[in-house]
Amino acid sequence: MTATSVAIRAIAPKGGPRRGRVKGASPWVYLFATILVAVCIGPVLYVIIGGFRTNAQITTDPSGFPSPWVVSNYTSVLGSSEFWVAMGNSTISAGFTTLGTVALGVMASYVIARYDFVGRAAMYSLFAAGLMFPITVAITPLYLLVRNLGLVNSLAGIILPQIAFALPTTIIILVPFLRAIPKELEEAASIDGASRLGFFWRMVIPLSLPGVITVGILCFVTTWNGYILPLFILNDTALFTLPLGVQNFASQYSVDTARVLAYTSLSMIPALIFFSLFEKRIVGGLTGAVKG
C-alpha cells in the first residue's frame, strides 16, 4: 500500500463518498406555479382561439373550442388596410422610441457611471425617482405641453414623451454595466492614444451590449403596448397605433365578437414573438446589471 493511498483513505469519510441529496420542491409549489401559468396564459389563448370561432359558437358555448375552425376572421383582418396602417404606426413609434431611448440612455449612463462631478448622486436619484412617476399621473400637463409644442395628432407627439418616460429604467439598468468596466482598461486605451469619445465607441458600447439589448427590448415592448398616451395625443385614425386600432375596430364591429378577438390576437402576436425571441437576452442583461 503506497503512502498516497493511505492519505486518501485517511481523508475520505467512512462509509464511502457521500452524495448530496437534492430535495424536490413541494407539490404545493408546483400547484401554485401551474395556477399562475394558467392565469397568465389562459386569457391569451382564449383570445387567439376565439378568433377561430363564429359569433354563434361564442354565444352558445363561450368557453368551448371552435367546431369547426373558422379562418375567415383572421383573413378578413389581415386583408384590411386599417390593420396594416396601425401596424406600421406602432412599428415607427416603437422603433424610434427605442433608438432614442437607447442612444440618450447610454450617453447619460456613461456620464453618471464614469465621471465624478457635483450632483452626480442627485442626478442618479432623480432618474431613480422617475420610476415611481407613472405616465397616467402626468397625462394632463403632458398633453398641454405637447399641444403647446404643436405636436398633437402626430407620431412625434408620442415618441418624445415615451423616450422621456423610458429613460429612468434605461439608466438604472445601464449604470451598473458601465461602472463595472475596469478603469485600468480606460487608462490603457488612453495610453494607446484613444480619446474619451473613442473609448466610448470602441470599448464601452461593445462591453455594455447585453444591457443595451435588454433596455432596447423592454422599451420596444412597452411602447408597442402603450395606450394612454396615444389615446390623448392622436385623433386621426390614420395615425392610430395598434392599441388604439383595437379600440376603434371593436367600436366599429362591436357585434362581431369573433373578428374583434382575431384583431386583438393579431395585434399582440408581434410583441409576444419579439419578447419570446429575446427573453434570454433580457434575463442575462438584468443579471449582469445586478452583478455589476
Side-chain angles (χ1 to χ4, degrees):
M1 183 180 293
T2 62
T4 305
S5 61
V6 173
I8 293 175
R9 289 198 173 202
I11 297 173
K14 296 181 179 180
R18 296 179 181 178
R19 296 180 180 178
R21 295 181 179 179
V22 179
K23 295 182 179 180
S26 172
W28 294 103
V29 175
Y30 289 105
L31 178 61
F32 178 76
T34 304
I35 295 174
L36 183 62
V37 171
V39 170
C40 295
I41 299 180
V44 179
L45 294 178
Y46 179 82
V47 172
I48 295 175
I49 295 175
F52 290 99
R53 307 172 69 191
T54 62
N55 294 319
Q57 294 177 9
I58 296 176
T59 304
T60 305
D61 188 8
S63 59
F65 281 91
S67 180
W69 291 68
V70 180
V71 189
S72 58
N73 295 322
Y74 284 95
T75 56
S76 62
V77 172
L78 292 174
S80 63
S81 59
E82 297 178 1
F83 174 79
W84 293 109
V85 169
M87 177 76 74
N89 293 333
S90 290
T91 303
I92 294 173
S93 174
F96 279 98
T97 300
T98 302
L99 291 176
T101 302
V102 170
L104 295 177
V106 171
M107 290 187 287
S109 300
Y110 179 74
V111 173
I112 294 175
R114 309 293 298 185
Y115 290 89
D116 292 328
F117 57 92
V118 177
R120 183 181 69 168
M123 182 180 296
Y124 186 74
S125 301
L126 180 63
F127 281 109
L131 297 175
M132 301 178 289
F133 195 71
I135 194 172
T136 54
V137 177
I139 191 63
T140 300
L142 185 60
Y143 172 77
L144 296 177
L145 178 62
V146 172
R147 187 185 65 179
N148 293 334
L149 294 175
L151 298 177
V152 174
N153 203 26
S154 66
L155 293 179
I158 63 175
I159 291 174
L160 295 179
Q162 285 173 160
I163 292 175
F165 278 91
L167 278 177
T169 304
T170 302
I171 291 175
I172 294 300
I173 294 177
L174 288 181
V175 165
F177 274 94
L178 301 181
R179 280 180 181 170
I181 299 176
K183 292 185 178 180
E184 292 79 6
L185 188 62
E186 185 175 0
E187 294 174 357
S190 62
I191 293 175
D192 291 338
S195 61
R196 290 184 175 181
L197 188 60
F199 174 75
F200 175 78
W201 286 109
R202 298 176 184 177
M203 301 299 297
V204 173
I205 297 298
L207 291 175
S208 61
L209 196 59
V212 172
I213 295 175
T214 298
V215 297
I217 295 169
L218 293 176
C219 180
F220 184 89
V221 175
T222 303
T223 305
W224 186 276
N225 296 326
Y227 176 74
I228 296 296
L229 185 62
L231 178 64
F232 278 79
I233 302 300
L234 302 179
N235 299 320
D236 189 3
T237 56
L239 297 173
F240 278 3
T241 56
L242 275 176
L244 294 184
V246 171
Q247 181 197 27
N248 187 40
F249 190 85
S251 62
Q252 292 180 2
Y253 302 94
S254 58
V255 182
D256 197 348
T257 307
R259 289 186 64 187
V260 173
L261 292 177
Y263 192 103
T264 304
S265 61
L266 287 174
S267 64
M268 65 182 178
I269 282 176
L272 290 174
I273 295 176
F274 189 82
F275 189 85
S276 300
L277 291 176
F278 297 98
E279 179 185 3
K280 293 183 179 179
R281 291 280 189 175
I282 297 176
V283 176
L286 294 177
T287 304
V290 172
K291 289 182 180 179

